[in-house]
Each structure stands twice: as C-alpha cells, then as structure tokens.
Amino acid sequence: MFEARKGGGAVIALDEVEISILRSLAVQLLELIGPGAPEPDAEADPLAALFAEGPTERPSDPALARLFPDAYGPGPGSAEEGADQAEQAAHSAEFRRFTENDLRARKRQDALAVVHSLNELTPGGDGAAVLELTGELSLRWLGALNDLRLTIAARLDITEDDEGAALYRLPDDDPRKPMVMAYLWLGGLQETLIETL
C-alpha cells in the first residue's frame, strides 16, 4: 500500500506480479475508453478545438456508462424525480456533447501515466520496485485507480447501494473471484494514496 514520501507525494513497493496486474488493467482500461476523436486542426480553425462536439448518446456498455454517466437525472428523493425524462435526456445529451471528449482524453492520460510509470520500474534483487509519485503524477494515479474500480464494479454489478457484499464471500473456484480480489486491492491502493496526499 502507498505510504507518505519524504518531501511530499507517495511511495509504494510493487513486486513483478503487482506491476504486471496494474499494467494489464491500465491497458485494458485504455482499450475500453478507446482512441478518442481526432484533434481538430487548430491552425486551420483556432476555435475548432474549443467547440469540438462529442457523442450525445449514453454508452451502451455498462462500464463505459459508469465512467461517463448522464449529467442530468433524478436522484433518490430529489425534486426532479418526477420531472420529464425526455427533457432530462435532452439536457444530458447536450452536456455529453460538449464534455465527453475532454473527459475521455483525461481518463486516457491518467491510464497512460500509470502504464508509463510502471514501465520505468526495475525490480531489485528482492523482486520489488519502488514507485514514487509526486505532483500531477499522484493525481493521475488517483484518477486511474478510481476509473479501474468503477469499471470492475460495473463488470461485477456492484452498485453504491450494496457495495457487492455477497461478492466478498465468493468461493475460491468462482470465476469472478480474481476480479473481486483486484477490486478490493485497487480500493486499498486508492484509499492509502488518498491518505498520503
């Protein structure tokens, strides 16, 4: 787990298996998020990047829907609960159109930062490598860990309401067990990274 780094930031010792798992998960996240929209030619039209439009439809993949949720909708007990759903969908589509490309780009940058920092690690004689996170890299890792947990939670059907309590008691031969273990481990990493920052 992460510990405070002298001078600020966080530090963690990772063995080769942990490095491999984190790298694999980050690469899978990159594949899920996708390459993104091509950047508009800023020289040809300086305002193009500012007004680039993204998708308007909610993703059909539950993991992507969790990473890129609708901006508008009724919450439990909210005043909007009885509001017109068509109007909420229109507001969400408009919001998504102007924000999703930037959000996807940030999530890609976070996952790439994890991959690049793991690629720079060289395990020592004891099989562990020390990763030091400072400044923006700490925040990139925090974002990527959160996105990985959200993705796995969507795949395991864990909601905020139940936190997947039954999944914690799965027998060892259940095929979901490795994903549950990864989810719990990533949660520990995320929690200790937040505490150190």
Side-chain angles (χ1 to χ4, degrees):
M1 297 298 156
F2 283 99
E3 296 176 2
R5 178 182 173 270
K6 188 176 181 178
V11 64
I12 188 170
L14 298 167
D15 64 32
E16 290 182 52
V17 172
E18 293 168 327
I19 293 169
S20 176
I21 291 170
L22 282 168
R23 184 184 297 115
S24 175
L25 290 171
V27 167
Q28 289 176 56
L29 180 61
L30 284 165
E31 291 171 356
L32 177 67
I33 293 171
E39 292 291 322
D41 185 2
E43 287 183 23
D45 183 1
L47 296 177
L50 204 66
F51 296 106
E53 293 186 14
T56 58
E57 295 294 318
R58 178 186 172 107
S60 59
D61 182 313
L64 285 174
R66 181 88 55 105
L67 291 174
F68 306 105
D70 284 333
Y72 298 93
S78 73
E80 295 181 318
E81 205 164 331
D84 182 28
Q85 294 214 354
E87 184 179 333
Q88 291 173 359
H91 290 311
S92 286
E94 187 73 4
F95 186 82
R96 183 179 301 282
R97 182 168 65 121
F98 291 111
T99 61
E100 188 169 313
N101 284 345
D102 289 341
L103 187 55
R104 279 182 186 268
R106 186 186 57 76
K107 291 180 181 299
R108 268 192 300 282
Q109 290 169 351
D110 291 349
L112 277 171
V114 168
V115 172
H116 291 313
S117 57
L118 292 171
N119 287 343
E120 294 174 8
L121 292 181
T122 309
D126 62 352
V130 176
L131 173 67
E132 294 187 12
L133 302 178
T134 58
E136 185 180 326
L137 187 56
S138 301
L139 298 176
R140 295 251 178 237
W141 265 77
L142 196 53
L145 289 172
N146 187 59
D147 291 342
L148 288 169
R149 289 194 75 231
L150 286 172
T151 301
I152 292 173
R155 296 290 186 240
L156 292 171
D157 230 3
I158 297 173
T159 65
E160 291 178 30
D161 297 335
D162 69 356
E163 279 296 313
L167 292 174
Y168 300 131
R169 295 184 296 277
L170 288 176
D172 289 340
D173 60 348
D174 191 297
R176 297 171 295 171
K177 186 75 171 200
M179 277 201 334
V180 171
M181 298 307 292
Y183 177 79
L184 295 173
W185 179 56
L186 291 169
L189 292 177
Q190 184 180 19
E191 183 178 342
T192 58
L193 181 54
I194 289 170
E195 288 171 358
T196 62
L197 300 178

